[in-house]
Structures are given as structure tokens and as C-alpha cells.
Amino acid sequence: MSKFMYLYKGPARPMDQFTPEQSAEQMAVWRAWMEKLGPAMVDFGTPFAARTAVADDGLAADASDLNGYSIVEAENLDGAKALTDGHPYLSEASGKFTLEIFELADM
């Protein structure tokens, strides 16, 4: 089994802009997906908050619209992709949000 990182990318609304009710609703949807994965969910991860970027010339750069991460375990890249079925981040079906998947290499 290998570990894979999901990186969430898109114009997501920051968590601090949700009402307590909206936050609870969102967390319930995420928990349901996470429970569906069972032991394949290695690290639920966290949303990203404040951000900045620095370019290789030392100057400030525009930070990307990455919004958080999770780590799952699967046999291969196709298996990690299959685990995204029903993922809450992909539920809008607008084409504005992507979930990038990277296999974590052994060092």
C-alpha cells in the first residue's frame, strides 16, 4: 500500500466565514465521507488559512488557491482516485474545484 496526498484547489470560502450551523453541516458531510473510507483515511488533514509565497529570486509571489490536504492509503494511483467518489470538495460540479492527487514517495 502507498500513501497519497489530496490537495484541494479552488476558490473555496474560508472556514471563518461560515456560520456555526454551516460549519456543523459541512463537517457532518466531511465526516460521512471520511467514515466511508475507513482505514484508508490516514490523515484527515486540515484546511489552509493565511498564506503567502516567495519566489526563487526572493521576491513575494502570488500564493495559489490551495485550500487544504488529506492523506489516504491505496494500492495505486487509480485506487487513490477511486476513493474520491462522493468527496465533498467535488460536490459542486462547477469545474471550479479540483482535487490533486500525489503519491508520497519513500525517502
Side-chain angles (χ1 to χ4, degrees):
M1 293 289 246
S2 296
K3 291 181 183 173
F4 296 86
M5 178 175 279
Y6 292 167
L7 289 177
Y8 307 120
K9 186 175 183 189
R13 182 168 54 160
M15 293 294 291
D16 63 358
Q17 293 181 10
F18 283 85
T19 66
E21 294 80 16
Q22 290 170 322
S23 289
E25 182 180 311
Q26 285 292 311
M27 286 310 301
V29 171
W30 278 83
R31 266 191 219 99
W33 172 76
M34 187 172 67
E35 288 171 6
K36 180 178 118 175
L37 264 59
M41 175 57 67
V42 174
D43 180 353
F44 182 61
T46 186
F48 298 149
R51 62 194 69 214
T52 190
V54 178
D56 61 356
D57 60 5
L59 300 176
D62 292 333
S64 72
D65 60 352
L66 291 175
N67 291 298
Y69 78 96
S70 296
I71 298 175
V72 299
E73 194 169 56
E75 286 291 329
N76 53 40
L77 192 57
D78 287 336
K81 185 177 177 183
L83 293 174
T84 67
D85 183 48
H87 195 292
Y89 200 76
L90 302 176
S91 65
E92 191 173 295
S94 65
K96 293 188 277 184
F97 299 94
T98 60
L99 192 156
E100 297 184 18
I101 305 169
F102 296 89
E103 183 173 5
L104 300 177
D106 291 329
M107 292 290 290

